[in-house]
Amino acid sequence: MKNVLMHKVDFKTKAGKVLMWIVLIFFLFYTLMPMVWLVISSLKTNTELMGSPFSLPSKLRFENYANAFKVSGLGILFLNSIIVSLGATFLNIMIASMASFVLSRFEFRFREAIFSLLVIGILVPINSLMVPYVKIINKLGIYDTRFALILVYSAISIPISTFIIRGFMKTIPVELEEAGTIDGCNFYQRFFKIIFPLSRTGIVTAATLQFLYCWNEFIYSMLLTSSQSVRTIQVGIRYFSNQFTTDYTSMYAAIVISIIPSLIGYITFQEQIISGLTSGAVKG
């Protein structure tokens, strides 16, 4: 009887593992299939794409990637996205880390209320702020500039960045900061030499999420720019498809190129992102 029960338990365990792998493989296929199809389609001719969308190309057309740069001016769009994403990420992290330092290391009245009010911004739909942001940018006279995008992107993600970084800063022992004070560190030295370096896991997590958001953002980039010289790559691809409606393969090549930085960024900092979201973000 005991052997029969153990056999049933073992069978259920194996069946559960098989079911788990089936589900995981299904979602893997579901996630990767569009990307694989996109890459294959970018290496076809337009005739092959229209005639047989799911077949392999008769010849790999890498010239589609060269055409994506030549025809649509993808180079300047790519450069704009890099400048805006890095600039917004730097500004966002500096502001969020300074706010997190004050909200995690100092005791003062209404501290938790201020933090709660700030974190509520995570729940506000980004698209609901379009009109205020556009009006503010126009009032400042910086419409159709990279600085406008940097300013808006950095402001949008301050709540989530502060939430993540503050969780890590609260875990740093107070004794380290007290030792720095005894050694003569002032307010800024305690932040830049002690707290900021020790919070790098949370900072890297917030910075990676911020960069990915800036790189892939479309709505505000479309609203706050009107000339190709300052457009980001996501908006540029939209205009590419409107203007060159028959050259789908080059457009797909441009999309593949636009995805590469996001993949590189996530793969590079994958461990920091996972550890940051599962540890520091839930503390405090």
Side-chain angles (χ1 to χ4, degrees):
M1 185 67 180
K2 185 177 180 182
N3 292 334
V4 173
L5 291 175
M6 291 180 63
H7 179 72
K8 288 183 178 180
V9 172
D10 186 57
F11 176 77
K12 289 182 179 180
T13 303
K14 290 182 179 179
K17 289 182 178 180
V18 171
L19 180 61
M20 179 190 70
W21 279 108
I22 291 174
V23 173
L24 289 175
I25 291 173
F26 170 77
F27 280 107
L28 178 66
F29 179 81
Y30 180 80
T31 303
L32 293 181
M33 186 59 191
M35 183 64 185
V36 173
W37 181 86
L38 183 67
V39 173
I40 294 175
S41 298
S42 70
L43 298 172
K44 293 181 177 181
T45 63
N46 285 293
T47 304
E48 289 176 331
L49 180 64
M50 298 300 178
S52 184
F54 296 100
S55 65
L56 295 174
S58 58
K59 179 184 176 182
L60 300 180
R61 308 278 179 174
F62 291 102
E63 58 267 25
N64 292 335
Y65 287 84
N67 291 336
F69 280 94
K70 293 178 183 178
V71 177
S72 66
L74 198 64
I76 186 65
L77 300 175
F78 199 88
L79 179 62
N80 288 337
S81 288
I82 291 177
I83 294 173
V84 169
S85 298
L86 291 179
T89 300
F90 175 79
L91 183 60
N92 172 271
I93 293 304
M94 291 309 300
I95 294 174
S97 60
M98 291 178 182
S100 300
F101 177 57
V102 174
L103 292 171
S104 63
R105 313 303 295 183
F106 294 89
E107 295 286 345
F108 56 90
R109 194 177 182 184
F110 302 124
R111 184 186 71 167
E112 294 302 323
I114 294 173
F115 176 69
S116 299
L117 186 63
L118 183 63
V119 172
I120 286 175
I122 299 174
L123 306 177
V124 177
I126 295 175
N127 292 343
S128 66
L129 302 173
M130 288 190 296
V131 174
Y133 274 130
V134 171
K135 287 191 174 183
I136 291 172
I137 294 301
N138 283 326
K139 284 287 185 180
L140 293 175
I142 56 175
Y143 177 79
D144 196 29
T145 62
R146 298 189 190 98
F147 180 66
L149 293 178
I150 292 174
L151 202 61
V152 171
Y153 289 168
S154 60
I156 287 174
S157 298
I158 284 177
I160 183 64
S161 296
T162 303
F163 177 72
I164 293 173
I165 298 173
R166 180 180 184 263
F168 276 87
M169 288 188 175
K170 288 197 71 174
T171 64
I172 299 173
V174 179
E175 290 77 12
L176 292 176
E177 199 171 350
E178 292 176 347
T181 303
I182 295 173
D183 290 336
C185 290
N186 57 30
F187 176 84
Y188 299 101
Q189 289 173 330
R190 295 203 310 271
F191 172 71
F192 285 107
K193 293 185 177 181
I194 300 175
I195 304 299
F196 191 84
L198 293 176
S199 306
R200 64 178 178 272
T201 302
I203 291 171
V204 169
T205 301
T208 304
L209 295 176
Q210 169 70 3
F211 179 85
L212 293 177
Y213 166 75
C214 295
W215 186 269
N216 295 308
E217 205 283 327
F218 173 79
I219 298 296
Y220 283 101
S221 182
M222 182 179 64
L223 287 175
L224 300 177
T225 60
S226 59
S227 60
Q228 187 171 355
S229 60
V230 296
R231 285 177 186 151
T232 60
I233 193 169
Q234 303 301 333
V235 178
I237 290 174
R238 174 181 178 272
Y239 284 93
F240 183 96
S241 63
N242 287 343
Q243 186 176 0
F244 305 99
T245 54
T246 58
D247 196 3
Y248 290 106
T249 55
S250 293
M251 182 184 70
Y252 292 162
I255 295 173
V256 172
I257 293 171
S258 71
I259 294 173
I260 292 175
S262 297
L263 291 177
I264 294 175
Y266 183 80
I267 291 172
T268 303
F269 301 107
Q270 181 180 4
E271 293 184 2
Q272 288 88 340
I273 293 174
I274 294 174
S275 63
L277 293 178
T278 56
S279 57
V282 298
K283 292 181 181 178

PDB file of all heavy atoms in Angstrom, residues 159-170:
ATOM      1  N   PRO A 159       8.615  58.943  -9.316  1.00  0.00           N
ATOM      2  CA  PRO A 159       7.967  58.153  -8.247  1.00  0.00           C
ATOM      3  C   PRO A 159       8.484  56.726  -8.145  1.00  0.00           C
ATOM      4  O   PRO A 159       8.832  56.267  -7.050  1.00  0.00           O
ATOM      5  CB  PRO A 159       6.482  58.193  -8.647  1.00  0.00           C
ATOM      6  CG  PRO A 159       6.328  59.464  -9.413  1.00  0.00           C
ATOM      7  CD  PRO A 159       7.605  59.616 -10.174  1.00  0.00           C
ATOM      8  N   ILE A 160       8.544  56.001  -9.249  1.00  0.00           N
ATOM      9  CA  ILE A 160       8.972  54.602  -9.192  1.00  0.00           C
ATOM     10  C   ILE A 160      10.458  54.501  -8.856  1.00  0.00           C
ATOM     11  O   ILE A 160      10.883  53.605  -8.114  1.00  0.00           O
ATOM     12  CB  ILE A 160       8.649  53.874 -10.525  1.00  0.00           C
ATOM     13  CG1 ILE A 160       9.023  52.397 -10.438  1.00  0.00           C
ATOM     14  CG2 ILE A 160       9.370  54.529 -11.693  1.00  0.00           C
ATOM     15  CD1 ILE A 160       8.231  51.613  -9.433  1.00  0.00           C
ATOM     16  N   SER A 161      11.272  55.422  -9.367  1.00  0.00           N
ATOM     17  CA  SER A 161      12.703  55.401  -9.058  1.00  0.00           C
ATOM     18  C   SER A 161      12.947  55.672  -7.576  1.00  0.00           C
ATOM     19  O   SER A 161      13.769  55.011  -6.929  1.00  0.00           O
ATOM     20  CB  SER A 161      13.446  56.426  -9.920  1.00  0.00           C
ATOM     21  OG  SER A 161      13.360  56.104 -11.288  1.00  0.00           O
ATOM     22  N   THR A 162      12.218  56.637  -7.021  1.00  0.00           N
ATOM     23  CA  THR A 162      12.349  56.962  -5.599  1.00  0.00           C
ATOM     24  C   THR A 162      11.908  55.790  -4.737  1.00  0.00           C
ATOM     25  O   THR A 162      12.541  55.465  -3.719  1.00  0.00           O
ATOM     26  CB  THR A 162      11.517  58.207  -5.256  1.00  0.00           C
ATOM     27  OG1 THR A 162      11.922  59.306  -6.093  1.00  0.00           O
ATOM     28  CG2 THR A 162      11.694  58.598  -3.799  1.00  0.00           C
ATOM     29  N   PHE A 163      10.829  55.144  -5.135  1.00  0.00           N
ATOM     30  CA  PHE A 163      10.321  53.984  -4.395  1.00  0.00           C
ATOM     31  C   PHE A 163      11.359  52.867  -4.327  1.00  0.00           C
ATOM     32  O   PHE A 163      11.581  52.263  -3.268  1.00  0.00           O
ATOM     33  CB  PHE A 163       9.040  53.486  -5.066  1.00  0.00           C
ATOM     34  CG  PHE A 163       8.467  52.250  -4.441  1.00  0.00           C
ATOM     35  CD1 PHE A 163       7.863  52.300  -3.196  1.00  0.00           C
ATOM     36  CD2 PHE A 163       8.527  51.037  -5.101  1.00  0.00           C
ATOM     37  CE1 PHE A 163       7.333  51.154  -2.612  1.00  0.00           C
ATOM     38  CE2 PHE A 163       8.003  49.890  -4.531  1.00  0.00           C
ATOM     39  CZ  PHE A 163       7.391  49.951  -3.275  1.00  0.00           C
ATOM     40  N   ILE A 164      12.020  52.594  -5.447  1.00  0.00           N
ATOM     41  CA  ILE A 164      13.005  51.514  -5.494  1.00  0.00           C
ATOM     42  C   ILE A 164      14.266  51.877  -4.717  1.00  0.00           C
ATOM     43  O   ILE A 164      14.754  51.097  -3.888  1.00  0.00           O
ATOM     44  CB  ILE A 164      13.355  51.179  -6.960  1.00  0.00           C
ATOM     45  CG1 ILE A 164      12.144  50.577  -7.682  1.00  0.00           C
ATOM     46  CG2 ILE A 164      14.536  50.208  -7.029  1.00  0.00           C
ATOM     47  CD1 ILE A 164      12.353  50.385  -9.172  1.00  0.00           C
ATOM     48  N   ILE A 165      14.808  53.072  -4.968  1.00  0.00           N
ATOM     49  CA  ILE A 165      16.079  53.457  -4.347  1.00  0.00           C
ATOM     50  C   ILE A 165      15.932  53.649  -2.838  1.00  0.00           C
ATOM     51  O   ILE A 165      16.819  53.257  -2.062  1.00  0.00           O
ATOM     52  CB  ILE A 165      16.624  54.735  -5.014  1.00  0.00           C
ATOM     53  CG1 ILE A 165      16.908  54.470  -6.499  1.00  0.00           C
ATOM     54  CG2 ILE A 165      17.889  55.207  -4.315  1.00  0.00           C
ATOM     55  CD1 ILE A 165      17.287  55.710  -7.287  1.00  0.00           C
ATOM     56  N   ARG A 166      14.821  54.222  -2.405  1.00  0.00           N
ATOM     57  CA  ARG A 166      14.621  54.429  -0.967  1.00  0.00           C
ATOM     58  C   ARG A 166      14.613  53.102  -0.213  1.00  0.00           C
ATOM     59  O   ARG A 166      15.123  53.006   0.922  1.00  0.00           O
ATOM     60  CB  ARG A 166      13.304  55.165  -0.723  1.00  0.00           C
ATOM     61  CG  ARG A 166      13.004  55.436   0.758  1.00  0.00           C
ATOM     62  CD  ARG A 166      11.686  56.169   0.898  1.00  0.00           C
ATOM     63  NE  ARG A 166      11.397  56.525   2.284  1.00  0.00           N
ATOM     64  CZ  ARG A 166      10.607  55.809   3.099  1.00  0.00           C
ATOM     65  NH1 ARG A 166      10.040  54.693   2.652  1.00  0.00           N
ATOM     66  NH2 ARG A 166      10.373  56.208   4.341  1.00  0.00           N
ATOM     67  N   GLY A 167      14.034  52.065  -0.822  1.00  0.00           N
ATOM     68  CA  GLY A 167      14.020  50.764  -0.163  1.00  0.00           C
ATOM     69  C   GLY A 167      15.414  50.244   0.124  1.00  0.00           C
ATOM     70  O   GLY A 167      15.653  49.633   1.173  1.00  0.00           O
ATOM     71  N   PHE A 168      16.363  50.506  -0.768  1.00  0.00           N
ATOM     72  CA  PHE A 168      17.737  50.072  -0.554  1.00  0.00           C
ATOM     73  C   PHE A 168      18.451  50.960   0.455  1.00  0.00           C
ATOM     74  O   PHE A 168      19.216  50.470   1.284  1.00  0.00           O
ATOM     75  CB  PHE A 168      18.489  50.062  -1.882  1.00  0.00           C
ATOM     76  CG  PHE A 168      18.289  48.811  -2.674  1.00  0.00           C
ATOM     77  CD1 PHE A 168      17.221  48.701  -3.537  1.00  0.00           C
ATOM     78  CD2 PHE A 168      19.153  47.737  -2.550  1.00  0.00           C
ATOM     79  CE1 PHE A 168      17.017  47.549  -4.270  1.00  0.00           C
ATOM     80  CE2 PHE A 168      18.957  46.580  -3.269  1.00  0.00           C
ATOM     81  CZ  PHE A 168      17.887  46.479  -4.138  1.00  0.00           C
ATOM     82  N   MET A 169      18.216  52.249   0.390  1.00  0.00           N
ATOM     83  CA  MET A 169      18.907  53.152   1.305  1.00  0.00           C
ATOM     84  C   MET A 169      18.497  52.913   2.750  1.00  0.00           C
ATOM     85  O   MET A 169      19.298  53.098   3.668  1.00  0.00           O
ATOM     86  CB  MET A 169      18.635  54.599   0.901  1.00  0.00           C
ATOM     87  CG  MET A 169      19.353  55.027  -0.364  1.00  0.00           C
ATOM     88  SD  MET A 169      19.195  56.802  -0.702  1.00  0.00           S
ATOM     89  CE  MET A 169      20.263  56.961  -2.143  1.00  0.00           C
ATOM     90  N   LYS A 170      17.250  52.476   2.959  1.00  0.00           N
ATOM     91  CA  LYS A 170      16.799  52.229   4.329  1.00  0.00           C
ATOM     92  C   LYS A 170      17.478  51.011   4.940  1.00  0.00           C
ATOM     93  O   LYS A 170      17.491  50.866   6.171  1.00  0.00           O
ATOM     94  CB  LYS A 170      15.277  52.043   4.353  1.00  0.00           C
ATOM     95  CG  LYS A 170      14.489  53.326   4.123  1.00  0.00           C
ATOM     96  CD  LYS A 170      13.043  53.173   4.552  1.00  0.00           C
ATOM     97  CE  LYS A 170      12.935  53.105   6.053  1.00  0.00           C
ATOM     98  NZ  LYS A 170      11.529  53.102   6.536  1.00  0.00           N
TER      99      LYS A 170
END
